[in-house]
């Protein structure tokens, strides 16, 4: 291919496919290059198979509430782990197939191979040089695994890239890393009936609010041993893998490494772009345009290590695809930050995190779900939610929570923050009874009690009955 293309997209994941959708609206002089299996990280090894595993685990775990509901015989239920894992893979394969269809129809414009940049307008793939006016890099990420672990632990070391391929699961697993992935998988595996021991550093699930962290670690720590604050050291021994962290020492059958993911930028040739790279080998990227410095090159999705979430990757691919077809890049306002971890209760972070706020100018509204009516009825009465509001205006700023239905409430709060709504605005909304969102209303009322009364003849001032059955 000797022609100068309009755009080359490197990477066929969520960001790459989003960019492809926009580029195809304007030109057919493009190619998309992908190294390894086609199909997104989300569909193949991330969001979707992990949620399939979590749903199976939670379904089995619900047997523990049956006696309270008057349902007998729950102690006779068993989980067929190979069958459950087979379902995970079947669903995963369906999700992957739907993403692969997007590129299968492209013929020669979809190239399998590893690309390496030669200059801002040139790259090499499969021994052939390609040129383009614009290049979009969306190469995704891979699990972080210390070299010493991968060299010594071999098939006793799992990541989310390999976990879902297992035909069955071992008896005792250590989960190392309590970020988003580690927290979800530790609880899910424990609910499968696997003996899980979890280890993490000083961060837990991305939370920054001490009270929310305390509640979340207490709740999950009741399901499996949870050791935080000490580095885990691993050694292969005759019985399995020895894990040492501080005063804790155990031997497990295998380890699930959940230390996060690293951008796939090694050997990509970013040094040929003529811009400075940071200590991680990353070039400067404008978050609002996806452009690298002032070059005709864009870096989107997990590859830029800014916000490794599917909706963010899709946005960044969209931005990169649009700007690759323009002479002057457009600056986009990004969405309200939103993170959801699918533990039970859900962990969610919306808008500004606790640690970023000025305590002198911020109010906190709190609700505990242990006595919340709908939560008690459904045997989900555990967790906490903190809402943060501006002390002067009452505008909602953010939230951190470990709460039932936190995934749904987080979306409502993200909408409110995006629209700059105040506590009073939200309290004017209808809260149907009985729903879990009434717990959020309790936190809003706690905020309102700390704010000046705007108008006593306003429905936002309608207060509580102080009766659990009604509030």
């Amino acid at each position: 291919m000797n022609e100068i293309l309009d755009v080359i997209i490197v990477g066929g994941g969520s960001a790459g496919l989003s960019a492809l959708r926009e580029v195809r609206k304007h030109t057919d002089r493009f190619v998309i290059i992908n190294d390894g299996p086609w199909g997104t990280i989300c569909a193949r090894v991330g969001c979707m198979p992990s949620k399939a595993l979590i749903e199976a685990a939670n379904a089995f775990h619900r047997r523990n509430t049956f006696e309270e509901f008057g349902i007998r015989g729950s102690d006779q239920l068993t989980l067929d782990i190979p069958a459950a894992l087979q379902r995970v893979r079947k669903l995963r394969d369906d999700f992957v197939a739907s993403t692969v269809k997007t590129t299968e129809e492209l013929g020669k414009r979809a190239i399998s191979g590893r690309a390496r940049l030669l200059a801002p307008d040139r790259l090499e793939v499969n021994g052939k040089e390609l040129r383009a006016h614009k290049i979009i890099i969306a190469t995704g990420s891979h699990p972080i695994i210390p070299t010493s672990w991968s060299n010594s632990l071999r098939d006793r070391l799992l990541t989310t890239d390999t976990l879902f391929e297992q035909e069955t699961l071992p008896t005792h697993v250590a989960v190392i890393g309590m970020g988003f992935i580690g927290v979800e998988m530790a609880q899910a595996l424990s609910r499968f009936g696997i003996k899980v021991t979890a280890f993490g550093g000083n961060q837990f699930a991305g939370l920054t609010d001490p009270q929310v962290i305390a509640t979340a670690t207490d709740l999950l720590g009741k399901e499996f041993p949870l050791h935080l604050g000490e580095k885990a050291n691993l050694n292969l021994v005759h019985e399995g893998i020895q894990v040492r962290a501080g005063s804790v020492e155990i031997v497990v059958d295998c380890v699930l490494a959940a230390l996060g993911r690293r951008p796939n930028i090694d050997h990509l040739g970013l040094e040929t772009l003529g811009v400075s790279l940071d200590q991680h080998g990353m070039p400067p990227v404008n978050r609002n345009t996806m452009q690298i410095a002032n070059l005709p090159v864009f870096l989107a999705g997990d590859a830029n290590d800014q916000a490794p979430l599917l909706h963010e990757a899709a946005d960044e691919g969209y931005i990169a695809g649009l700007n690759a077809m323009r002479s002057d890049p457009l600056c986009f306002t990004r969405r309200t930050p939103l993170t959801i971890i699918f533990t039970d209760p859900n962990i969610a972070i919306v808008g500004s995190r606790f640690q970023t706020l000025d305590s002198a100018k911020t109010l906190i509204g709190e609700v505990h779900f242990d006595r919340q009516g709908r939560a008690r009825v459904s045997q989900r009465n555990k967790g906490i939610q903190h809402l943060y509001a501006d002390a002067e205006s009452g505008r909602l700023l953010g939230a951190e929570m470990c709460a039932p239905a936190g995934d749904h409430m987080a979306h409502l709060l993200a909408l409110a923050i995006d629209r700059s709504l105040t506590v009073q605005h939200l309290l004017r909304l209808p809260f149907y009874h009985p729903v879990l969102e009434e717990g959020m209303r309790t936190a809003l009322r706690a905020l309102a009690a700390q704010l000046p009364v705007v108008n006593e003849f306003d429905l936002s001032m309608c207060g509580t009955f102080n009766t659990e059955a009604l509030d």
Side-chain angles (χ1 to χ4, degrees):
M1 187 179 294
N2 297 319
E3 65 174 320
I4 300 178
L5 299 163
D6 288 326
V7 181
I8 297 174
I9 302 169
V10 184
S14 300
L17 293 180
S18 182
L20 174 66
R21 183 178 61 242
E22 299 311 312
V23 167
R24 293 182 72 179
K25 294 176 182 178
H26 302 277
T27 182
D28 59 3
R29 296 182 343 115
F30 67 86
V31 296
I32 182 169
I33 303 168
N34 190 68
D35 182 22
W38 292 79
T40 67
I41 289 172
C42 171
R44 189 176 293 280
V45 297
C47 317
M48 300 313 293
S50 67
K51 302 311 166 289
L53 186 79
I54 288 168
E55 289 295 339
N58 288 347
F60 186 51
H61 183 73
R62 278 194 287 274
R63 75 195 186 282
N64 295 312
T65 67
F66 286 179
E67 284 293 318
E68 182 72 20
F69 283 116
I71 304 171
R72 310 304 181 205
S74 61
D75 58 336
Q76 301 301 310
L77 294 175
T78 60
L79 177 64
D80 185 337
I81 291 179
L85 292 173
Q86 187 176 33
R87 176 181 182 268
V88 170
R89 288 190 294 276
K90 182 177 183 298
L91 287 169
R92 184 273 315 274
D93 292 345
D94 286 344
F95 295 133
V96 170
S98 68
T99 65
V100 170
K101 284 181 182 178
T102 305
T103 50
E104 280 182 335
E105 65 187 36
L106 296 178
K108 293 182 179 179
R109 287 182 292 179
I111 302 171
S112 293
R114 177 170 295 186
R116 177 174 174 79
L117 294 166
L118 302 174
D121 63 346
R122 292 184 294 125
L123 58 77
E124 180 186 43
V125 59
N126 299 333
K128 179 183 265 187
E129 183 176 315
L130 301 180
R131 297 184 64 190
H133 297 298
K134 304 286 178 62
I135 296 175
I136 298 172
I137 301 168
T139 45
S141 62
H142 62 275
I144 296 172
I145 306 175
T147 304
S148 59
W149 293 9
S150 57
N151 289 341
S152 63
L153 305 182
R154 299 183 293 278
D155 58 353
R156 289 185 180 270
L157 180 67
L158 298 174
T159 69
T160 48
D161 280 7
T162 57
L163 173 64
F164 308 117
E165 301 304 321
Q166 305 305 302
E167 296 292 331
T168 189
L169 295 171
T171 302
H172 190 181
V173 176
V175 178
I176 313 295
M178 286 289 97
F180 305 165
I181 298 171
V183 170
E184 285 185 347
M185 290 299 97
Q187 186 183 55
L189 292 176
S190 176
R191 291 186 170 192
F192 259 63
I194 307 301
K195 183 179 180 182
V196 170
T197 308
F199 299 86
N202 295 317
Q203 297 291 318
F204 185 81
L207 294 167
T208 67
D209 187 312
Q211 287 185 263
V212 180
I213 293 171
T215 298
T217 53
D218 177 65
L219 290 173
L220 270 71
K222 290 176 180 176
E223 297 194 35
F224 52 85
L226 178 57
H227 305 287
L228 301 175
E230 297 283 354
K231 181 181 179 181
N233 296 293
L234 310 183
N235 290 293
L236 188 65
V237 296
H238 178 70
E239 301 87 355
I241 298 177
Q242 181 189 65
V243 185
R244 291 181 178 177
S247 61
V248 178
E249 182 179 317
I250 61 169
V251 176
V252 298
D253 299 314
C254 77
V255 165
L256 174 63
L259 302 174
R261 299 182 69 90
R262 179 172 290 134
N264 290 328
I265 58 172
D266 294 341
H267 314 297
L268 185 58
L270 291 173
E271 69 278 1
T272 66
L273 297 180
V275 297
S276 60
L277 306 179
D278 66 17
Q279 67 270 30
H280 304 295
M282 192 69 65
V285 181
N286 186 321
R287 188 172 184 270
N288 302 107
T289 66
M290 294 296 104
Q291 188 176 19
I292 296 177
N294 61 351
L295 301 175
V297 184
F298 304 85
L299 185 57
D302 286 11
N304 66 32
D305 204 27
Q306 292 184 1
L309 302 167
L310 181 136
H311 70 278
E312 296 283 3
D315 284 351
E316 292 179 2
Y318 172 76
I319 294 169
L322 282 175
N323 282 336
M325 301 310 302
R326 295 178 54 86
S327 56
D328 297 314
L330 292 171
C331 283
F332 285 77
T333 300
R334 301 299 296 269
R335 300 182 198 265
T336 298
L338 173 63
T339 298
I340 298 171
I341 302 173
F342 293 89
T343 50
D344 175 26
N346 300 144
I347 293 171
I349 305 165
V350 191
S352 298
R353 296 170 186 256
F354 173 82
Q355 69 176 12
T356 66
L357 296 168
D358 184 343
S359 59
K361 299 178 180 179
T362 305
L363 302 176
I364 299 177
E366 177 181 283
V367 60
H368 291 268
F369 284 85
D370 55 334
R371 303 300 298 174
Q372 203 271 333
R374 179 60 185 273
R376 291 180 64 194
V377 168
S378 61
Q379 289 287 296
R380 301 170 69 186
N381 53 319
K382 53 187 178 181
I384 187 174
Q385 183 181 79
H386 274 188
L387 306 183
Y388 316 122
D390 180 79
E392 184 175 342
S393 67
R395 181 171 60 87
L396 195 66
L397 302 174
E400 293 192 23
M401 70 191 79
C402 177
D407 54 345
H408 297 293
M409 285 187 272
H411 282 86
L412 178 59
L413 292 168
L415 173 64
I417 293 168
D418 181 73
R419 297 294 185 267
S420 298
L421 298 184
T422 65
V423 171
Q424 289 80 9
H425 287 139
L426 284 167
L427 284 172
R428 289 186 195 121
L429 297 176
F431 285 80
Y432 207 81
H433 178 74
V435 295
L436 290 165
E437 283 78 3
E438 287 177 296
M440 183 176 71
R441 183 180 61 184
T442 298
L444 288 167
R445 283 172 169 167
L447 285 170
Q450 304 171 66
L451 290 164
V453 175
V454 177
N455 180 3
E456 63 178 321
F457 304 109
D458 186 285
L459 287 178
S460 68
M461 299 302 296
C462 179
T464 176
F465 284 97
N466 290 319
T467 303
E468 290 174 0
L470 300 178
D471 290 326

